[in-house]
């Protein structure tokens, strides 16, 4: 039976960011991994050759900033630490920014899950925010474990966080004060640096420019090709849907 998380506690969403001065934080997913190439979720795979190229490009980008980063925060997983290899800054490993734990579905492709666990696959499509993987986590679990990191970001500046798709979705939702319902489908592309600037002077607009709560975001794509891992919500989320309907929005992979 699938457990449904209660709505996110208000105190988590009300984390306030200090506005005393302009601060900058950089977010990036790890470089393309071997699991990304073959459409597998989770796992602890190494970077692909293109992922290794991105690690070098990211190092060049970060090391040549006018105001260099003083700290790099990575998850416990190899692909994030390999991505940080060429950045000249103090490196810290934090398990709070690990990828969402896919539990019994870890290291499987979406097609394998749809075939072997069709009901679970449909239940996640129905309510991706609250669905918890068997023996794993939900997006709301990730939101809760990120609380210590969010507290620390209230005073941090000039650091880069190298993490994962689901985790960065949660971070951006909290930092930009986005609706929770949008969280599971935010686009967090590979090989892209997200520069967040915190300031009192930000004008109200929308995501992609100013967020309207004192945070602006800029997406900087580095010139290294990669796969697209984004999977849109399928129209048919019924528990008795056909296999082809379940797999309709799965991104291309080897």
């Amino acid at each position: 039976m699938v457990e449904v998380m209660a709505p996110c506690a208000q105190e988590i969403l009300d984390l306030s960011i200090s506005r005393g001065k302009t601060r900058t934080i950089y977010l990036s997913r790890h470089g393309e991994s071997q699991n990304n190439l073959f459409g597998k979720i989770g796992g602890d795979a190494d970077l692909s050759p293109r992922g290794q190229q991105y690690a070098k490009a990211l190092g060049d980008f970060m090391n040549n900033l006018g105001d260099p980063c003083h700290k790099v925060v990575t998850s416990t997983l190899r692909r994030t630490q390999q991505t940080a290899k060429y950045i000249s800054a103090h490196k810290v490993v934090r398990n709070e920014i690990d990828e969402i734990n896919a539990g019994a579905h870890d290291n499987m492709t979406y097609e394998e899950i749809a075939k072997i666990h069709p009901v679970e696959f449909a239940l996640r499509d129905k309510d991706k925010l609250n669905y918890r993987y068997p023996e794993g986590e939900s997006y709301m679990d990730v939101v809760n474990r990120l609380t210590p990191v969010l507290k620390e970001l209230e005073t941090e500046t000039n650091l880069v966080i190298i993490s994962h798709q689901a985790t960065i979705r949660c971070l951006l939702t909290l930092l930009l004060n986005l609706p929770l319902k949008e969280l599971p489908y935010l686009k967090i592309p590979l090989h892209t640096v997200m520069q967040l600037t915190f300031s009192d002077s930000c004008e109200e607009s929308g995501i992609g420019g100013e967020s309207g709560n004192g945070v602006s975001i800029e997406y900087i794509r580095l010139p290294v090709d990669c796969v697209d891992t984004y999977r849109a919500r399928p129209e048919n989320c019924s528990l008795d849907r056909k296999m082809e309907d379940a797999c309709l929005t799965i991104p291309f992979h080897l």
Side-chain angles (χ1 to χ4, degrees):
M1 182 173 179
V2 177
E3 296 181 58
V4 178
M5 290 291 291
C8 186
Q10 189 64 35
E11 61 265 27
I12 295 175
L13 294 180
D14 284 347
L15 288 167
S16 60
I17 304 298
S18 174
R19 310 298 186 195
K21 59 182 179 179
T22 298
R23 302 181 298 109
T24 303
I25 292 171
Y26 299 89
L27 303 177
S28 174
R29 287 177 69 182
H30 53 81
E32 179 187 80
S33 72
Q34 293 290 347
N35 271 9
N36 292 147
L37 279 179
F38 293 96
K40 295 182 178 182
I41 65 172
D44 193 13
D46 291 319
L47 295 181
S48 71
R50 293 191 301 194
Q52 294 170 14
Q53 291 176 35
Y54 176 70
K56 294 177 181 178
L58 182 63
D60 288 341
F61 176 82
M62 300 307 302
N63 295 338
N64 286 288
L65 291 171
D67 197 358
C69 283
H70 69 93
K71 182 166 68 174
V72 184
V73 184
T74 70
S75 75
T76 65
L77 301 171
R78 287 197 301 262
R79 54 193 182 274
T80 62
Q81 296 173 33
Q82 291 169 359
T83 303
K85 179 178 179 179
Y86 300 98
I87 301 175
S88 300
H90 177 61
K91 296 179 175 68
V92 177
V93 176
R94 297 287 295 269
N95 62 4
E96 294 98 328
I97 65 167
D98 281 358
E99 180 59 296
I100 189 170
N101 181 357
H105 298 171
D106 200 48
N107 267 316
M108 296 177 71
T109 66
Y110 285 129
E111 291 91 341
E112 289 171 340
I113 300 171
K115 181 178 180 180
I116 301 170
H117 307 289
V119 173
E120 291 288 339
F121 198 54
L123 286 169
R124 189 166 194 260
D125 283 341
K126 273 181 172 291
D127 186 6
K128 193 174 178 181
L129 179 66
N130 292 298
Y131 172 86
R132 180 179 286 129
Y133 281 110
E135 303 173 33
E137 290 182 304
S138 70
Y139 268 98
M140 293 307 301
D141 290 327
V142 179
V143 166
N144 279 281
R145 69 165 149 89
L146 283 171
T147 302
V149 176
L150 266 291
K151 285 290 188 183
E152 293 172 23
L153 290 182
E154 292 180 10
T155 55
E156 286 277 12
T157 188
N158 294 338
L159 84 158
V160 57
I161 296 174
I162 301 176
S163 187
H164 308 268
Q165 180 169 246
T167 313
I168 294 177
R169 281 173 172 161
C170 295
L171 281 171
L172 283 183
T173 296
L174 297 173
L175 291 170
L176 300 178
N177 197 27
L178 300 174
L180 276 175
K181 64 180 181 180
E182 296 178 7
L183 188 161
Y185 294 102
L186 288 181
K187 291 188 176 181
I188 311 294
L190 289 166
H191 297 184
T192 301
V193 178
M194 287 147 275
Q195 178 179 314
L196 279 72
T197 303
F198 300 84
S199 172
D200 285 327
S201 62
C202 289
E203 301 286 337
E204 287 196 10
S205 70
I207 187 168
E210 311 299 343
S211 69
N213 65 338
V215 188
S216 66
I217 181 169
E218 179 181 0
Y219 293 81
I220 305 164
R221 175 64 188 261
L222 300 190
V224 181
D225 288 340
C226 59
V227 296
D228 182 0
T229 63
Y230 183 78
R231 178 176 180 259
R233 187 179 190 270
E235 291 186 10
N236 186 349
C237 297
S238 64
L239 301 187
D240 59 351
R241 63 187 175 181
K242 295 179 180 179
M243 178 77 172
E244 54 264 33
D245 291 333
C247 297
L248 196 59
T249 61
I250 293 175
F252 173 80
H253 60 82
L254 300 179

